[in-house]
Amino acid sequence: MKTLAKTKPEEGLWLQQTSVPEIGPDDVLIKINKTGICGTDIHIWDWDEWARKTVPLNLTTGHEFAGEIVELGKNVTDLTPGQRCSGEGHLIGKESRQSRAGKFHLDPDTRGIGVNEDGAFAQFLRLPAFNVVPLPDDISDDIGAILDPLGNAVHTALSFDLLGEDVLITGAGPIGIMAAAVARHAGARNVVITDINADRLGLAAQVADVVPVNVGQEDLNEVVTRLGMRQGFDVGLEMSGNQAALDQMVEAMVMGGRIALLGIPPGKSPVDWSRIVFKAITLKGVYGREIFETWYKMIAMLQNGLNVSGVITHRFHVDEYRAGFETMKAGSSGKVVLDWT
Ligand code: NAD
Ligand code: ZN
């Protein structure tokens, strides 16, 4: 089968032919139809410091996928061949206190497909049946291939009650844009999204009913006044990983505001803790998706009018994967989806 793998310790990924994985008794084999390219895949492509110390050579990359079950391990009784599916790419341990308490997304022994274990940039993926999320007929393979990052957006956005609240999202990358759509769907009053990239703000305004603000050119305080918010934002979703964005968010929050942090800063960064203390702000770090509550919620919302399809801006056949990665690396696209069929 064809896979996209890190076969050399240098920048790039390479298509290779390898054998179809053998599945264990608790696994399924999934024929991959569509995959999404993630920022993580770009780190692996670039072979940066994080990737060099995390990703084993010859690994098949990729973790955002939609496909179809083609084979069941002998212990798997609740799935059927032919079932369309996506799936959770975090492979959890079952031993930790958190796992045994059912908080699977907090398991410290988690390993990621496409990062620590062979992933979904392949014609076939082996996955524990536990991780499979069946796709209803009304959810396309394109959307199935971006449920992983939509799940990041949903997990972060639903961290706090949004009904009637004013929400600030910093970072109009694909995840920030999807979070904006989710915040609207969840009943927020004003949803403001910031970035310094005009293309991405334009895309945000196309995908969701939000107020885009280019913080390189506009004053966020003026927007707060224009929208008639009295003190600032009730809820903040940090989705840029940028220090200046977090500082600006803290300043723009109401007293007692709540902030969920998804963006990953490149290293240690200074934080003005006294501002956070005196504003009595609640901070919540967000990792991955709640397994499987986030999956349940996002599929339910997609079936109930949440529309994020506009966030997919580019589609390529896997044989043109280089163009797909170049599009992602240019930093102005939405989600880029690769077709494996
Ligand atoms: P992305 O890099 O595509 O988007 C980030 C956006 O932030 C970019 O458009 C960038 O222009 C913008 N930005 C930069 N400086 C800014 C500023 N000062 N103010 C406002 N915006 C600014 O990323 P993405 O794929 O959408 O992911 C969002 C973030 O979430 C990334 O940091 C990513 O690493 C992180 N992430 C975390 C998890 C997790 O489990 N915690 C999972 C997936 C992604
Ligand atoms: Zn991802």
Side-chain angles (χ1 to χ4, degrees):
M1 67 170 183
K2 218 181 258 183
T3 73
L4 204 44
K6 194 79 198 176
T7 49
K8 291 180 259 182
E10 58 190 60
E11 190 182 334
L13 288 172
W14 297 272
L15 269 181
Q16 58 160 10
Q17 284 293 332
T18 176
S19 47
V20 173
E22 278 181 28
I23 61 169
D26 298 313
D27 299 331
V28 298
L29 189 68
I30 299 168
K31 176 183 157 296
I32 298 294
N33 291 334
K34 300 280 175 76
T35 58
I37 303 179
C38 177
T40 304
D41 304 319
I42 301 300
H43 288 288
I44 298 173
W45 175 285
D46 289 343
W47 206 229
D48 65 10
E49 195 188 327
W50 168 82
R52 284 198 299 270
K53 68 171 195 258
T54 311
V55 177
L57 214 56
N58 293 317
L59 182 96
T60 295
T61 51
H63 56 271
E64 304 179 356
F65 69 93
E68 180 184 324
I69 296 173
V70 290
E71 192 186 331
L72 304 177
K74 70 174 169 44
N75 296 341
V76 181
T77 53
D78 52 347
L79 293 166
T80 44
Q83 169 72 60
R84 292 174 57 248
C85 69
S86 181
E88 173 56 57
H90 286 176
L91 310 179
I92 55 153
K94 302 271 173 67
E95 305 300 323
S96 68
R97 175 183 175 182
Q98 293 92 325
S99 265
R100 289 173 64 86
K103 297 175 200 160
F104 299 127
H105 69 294
L106 299 179
D107 177 60
D109 302 322
T110 297
R111 295 174 65 73
I113 66 165
V115 176
N116 314 108
E117 305 279 342
D118 279 336
F121 287 165
Q123 285 177 304
F124 294 93
L125 167 71
R126 172 184 55 207
L127 194 72
F130 176 79
N131 286 56
V132 168
V133 176
L135 285 179
D137 292 344
D138 52 357
I139 294 187
S140 67
D141 283 345
D142 276 7
I143 295 297
I146 64 164
L147 289 179
D148 169 300
L150 175 59
N152 297 134
V154 167
H155 185 186
T156 313
L158 300 188
S159 291
F160 303 112
D161 182 11
L162 297 183
L163 182 63
E165 305 289 7
D166 293 330
V167 177
L168 174 63
I169 298 170
T170 45
I175 300 181
I177 293 174
M178 290 191 281
V182 171
R184 263 265 162 259
H185 188 79
R189 179 172 61 173
N190 293 301
V191 180
V192 173
I193 189 164
T194 66
D195 207 295
I196 46 173
N197 178 326
D199 293 337
R200 286 202 146 167
L201 290 165
L203 181 63
Q206 272 174 38
V207 173
D209 176 20
V210 292
V211 179
V213 177
N214 188 331
V215 288
Q217 295 165 0
E218 289 171 76
D219 181 353
L220 188 59
N221 293 324
E222 278 173 18
V223 177
V224 169
T225 311
R226 168 158 55 90
L227 294 175
M229 287 183 239
R230 293 178 87 185
Q231 280 184 8
F233 295 92
D234 307 297
V235 174
L237 310 176
E238 204 310 290
M239 303 202 147
S240 73
N242 184 281
Q243 170 69 40
L246 177 60
D247 288 345
Q248 188 167 43
M249 176 174 276
V250 169
E251 288 310 312
M253 299 300 290
V254 296
M255 290 283 295
R258 292 149 296 162
I259 296 179
L261 301 158
L262 183 86
I264 303 170
K268 285 189 183 180
S269 49
V271 174
D272 188 353
W273 289 108
S274 67
R275 285 300 282 159
I276 290 168
V277 172
F278 287 129
K279 286 190 100 166
I281 283 173
T282 300
L283 293 178
K284 180 193 174 198
V286 178
Y287 175 58
R289 295 146 298 279
E290 281 190 17
I291 305 169
F292 286 87
E293 185 63 8
T294 302
W295 291 87
Y296 182 91
K297 287 276 199 186
M298 74 180 148
I299 288 173
M301 286 190 283
L302 287 167
Q303 294 184 307
N304 184 30
L306 174 68
N307 184 353
V308 293
S309 55
V311 83
I312 301 175
T313 53
H314 295 78
R315 294 171 174 82
F316 296 93
H317 190 266
V318 63
D319 293 341
E320 273 110 52
Y321 73 96
R322 287 184 181 280
F325 276 81
E326 274 159 27
T327 303
M328 275 289 287
K329 280 160 72 79
S332 289
S333 68
K335 288 301 294 182
V336 176
V337 168
L338 298 178
D339 185 343
W340 288 80
T341 57

